[in-house]
Amino acid sequence: MVDAERDDRVEVRRSARRRRTVSAYREGDRTIVMIPARMTADEERRWVTVMLDKLAAQEDRRILDDDALASRAAELSERYLQGRAQPDSVRWVTNQNARWGSCTPALGSIRLSHRLQGMPEYVLDYVLLHELAHLLVPGHGPGFWELVERYPRTERARGFLEGVVAAERLPYVPGPRAD
């Protein structure tokens, strides 16, 4: 649970025009929670917790089959690339252990490592958008990164993936036994 009073990544906006509804959305690395101005501090704390949990649940949906993956790729292309990236195939693969995804622009194919399946949705979206951008720009030059950075959580997703890679390199140290 995030304590919004101590977390500067959560911004609560009160509105006199808002009567009953509470909403929340992500804005870059920040979460904006919109509440009625009349709410007490206790109600605010409760609703911020509810909305943060709700957003986390939405972001934690799992996309496990190739059809759902292709649909997600189409949504991301439409939202961030004006629908210009249209892969012929998007699928999960189990033979990519050194990279998160790959793209073959000549074939219009995108392959994502099965290791992404347990990660937050924003990470999956970043990798998908990265590969979609390769359909439009083959290398990793400035034009490529301009496309990828249209996704507002690019930096956060890259940091998450870097953390996973770093954790995989740590030596195994057995913890205390639970018996």
Side-chain angles (χ1 to χ4, degrees):
M1 184 169 93
V2 175
D3 184 351
E5 292 177 338
R6 288 181 282 194
D7 189 344
D8 63 348
R9 295 170 298 173
V10 176
E11 178 182 334
V12 176
R13 294 182 185 167
R14 291 177 171 267
S15 169
R17 291 182 7 196
R18 187 175 286 267
R19 298 283 180 218
R20 292 179 295 227
T21 61
V22 176
S23 64
Y25 60 94
R26 304 284 191 202
E27 191 175 85
D29 286 340
R30 297 176 57 76
T31 301
I32 310 301
V33 180
M34 308 287 290
I35 65 171
R38 63 171 175 72
M39 277 194 179
T40 66
D42 286 342
E43 289 173 316
E44 175 184 319
R45 277 190 293 281
R46 183 176 71 79
W47 275 106
V48 166
T49 299
V50 166
M51 297 311 287
L52 289 173
D53 289 346
K54 187 175 182 177
L55 280 174
Q58 289 171 352
E59 293 167 348
D60 200 30
R61 289 177 294 167
R62 302 291 186 232
I63 297 175
L64 298 176
D65 67 31
D66 290 349
D67 290 337
L69 195 60
S71 293
R72 189 64 186 157
E75 290 173 29
L76 292 167
S77 176
E78 190 63 38
R79 185 178 306 151
Y80 298 107
L81 305 172
Q82 294 77 45
R84 294 183 300 136
Q86 297 184 357
D88 291 325
S89 69
V90 182
R91 61 190 175 95
W92 294 108
V93 295
T94 57
N95 63 351
Q96 287 191 25
N97 294 314
R99 58 176 61 185
W100 300 112
S102 62
C103 175
T104 306
L107 300 175
S109 65
I110 292 175
R111 294 157 311 280
L112 295 187
S113 172
H114 70 286
R115 297 179 305 141
L116 290 164
Q117 288 179 337
M119 295 186 188
E121 188 173 86
Y122 73 92
V123 175
L124 173 61
D125 285 353
Y126 162 74
V127 175
L128 259 176
L129 188 65
H130 181 110
E131 301 308 333
L132 287 165
H134 278 308
L135 292 174
L136 304 175
V137 179
H140 288 102
F144 170 81
W145 288 112
E146 183 274 319
L147 294 175
V148 173
E149 288 171 1
R150 292 177 181 177
Y151 181 58
R153 300 180 89 183
T154 291
E155 187 175 340
R156 182 174 183 189
R158 290 181 73 184
F160 184 97
L161 293 171
E162 288 171 6
V164 169
V165 170
E168 289 172 348
R169 293 181 180 149
L170 292 174
Y172 173 72
V173 178
R177 293 178 51 145
D179 31 42

